[in-house]
Amino acid sequence: MPNFLETGRLALRALGEADVDRLLDLDNDPEVMRFINGGRPTTREAVLAESLPRFLHHYPCLGNRGFWAAEERSTHEFLGWFELKPLDAHSAAEAELGYRLNRAAWGRGYATEGAVALVRKGFTELGVERVTACTMTVNARSRRVMEKAGLSYVRTFFEEWPEPIEGSEFGDVEYALTRADWERSTGG
């Protein structure tokens, strides 16, 4: 199967059952999961029963899946995953941007490179009109990636966490970018 998207350094390809161990390793790094679940470990069963079905889901409105494995193009090293999935399964108008990369990939620009490329593809090929992304208010690294990808702060909001984690008392933030704003900033 051909890659969904390639950038200068990244290849985004379909995730599959062969990625279970990689996903398990990613989700069992406490620093990677710090702003997701407080760094608690994940089981293989949870990856198989919860994560993998979500990653394999096909969205007809996009004509593909909403999640892709990220690999370094030259080495094929698994770096993590990216997401651009519709908020409404029947409409590509609004899509959520997300990413989870292993610590070895942090600080090297991969998250920004993949996010920028997915935003471009969403607006130019997939019929997306608005890209949104959310993270914890205290997750400065992720917020910076959103800003570098062209998204702007929209709001701070508070959700009930089943098990509050450090920093959750400051809430979450939403960032967004419309196709019209993206076209103005990039020349379309």
Side-chain angles (χ1 to χ4, degrees):
M1 179 181 285
N3 289 328
F4 172 73
L5 176 65
E6 291 185 356
T7 68
R9 300 179 301 155
L10 294 173
L12 301 188
R13 62 159 176 83
L15 283 154
E17 288 193 30
D19 293 306
V20 168
D21 289 334
R22 294 178 193 101
L23 295 168
L24 186 61
D25 288 345
L26 183 67
D27 285 2
N28 276 302
D29 182 325
E31 282 302 305
V32 169
M33 299 302 288
R34 179 178 169 203
F35 298 112
I36 308 296
N37 69 6
R40 290 186 299 280
T42 300
T43 65
R44 182 179 190 79
E45 292 74 25
V47 170
L48 286 167
E50 298 166 22
S51 301
L52 197 58
R54 188 174 42 136
F55 293 152
L56 299 178
H57 183 77
H58 182 83
Y59 294 93
C61 63
L62 289 180
N64 56 58
R65 298 176 181 176
F67 292 86
W68 302 275
E71 293 182 341
E72 211 292 325
R73 276 184 65 186
S74 63
T75 65
H76 302 288
E77 175 188 0
F78 179 82
L79 301 175
W81 55 259
F82 282 88
E83 158 194 9
L84 187 68
K85 70 175 179 68
L87 293 181
D88 174 345
H90 305 289
S91 171
E94 189 166 10
E96 179 180 38
L97 174 69
Y99 34 83
R100 186 174 303 166
L101 301 178
N102 63 44
R103 272 195 279 169
W106 292 3
R108 299 174 60 194
Y110 289 120
T112 299
E113 187 173 327
V116 166
L118 275 175
V119 166
R120 180 183 317 113
K121 188 169 184 90
F123 288 146
T124 61
E125 297 177 31
L126 303 177
V128 174
E129 293 296 327
R130 184 175 188 261
V131 172
T132 186
C134 295
T135 190
M136 289 180 66
T137 298
V138 296
N139 190 347
R141 287 183 184 140
S142 188
R143 292 179 73 167
R144 185 69 186 128
V145 169
M146 293 173 193
E147 291 165 357
K148 287 182 175 182
L151 283 72
S152 298
Y153 171 82
V154 173
R155 66 185 176 117
T156 300
F157 61 98
F158 295 85
E159 292 187 347
E160 290 295 321
W161 291 69
E163 295 179 41
I165 61 177
E166 184 180 344
S168 62
E169 66 272 19
F170 299 105
D172 293 284
V173 289
E174 177 186 0
Y175 281 70
L177 177 64
T178 65
R179 179 192 302 214
D181 287 341
W182 176 81
E183 287 173 343
R184 275 192 289 279
S185 69
T186 64

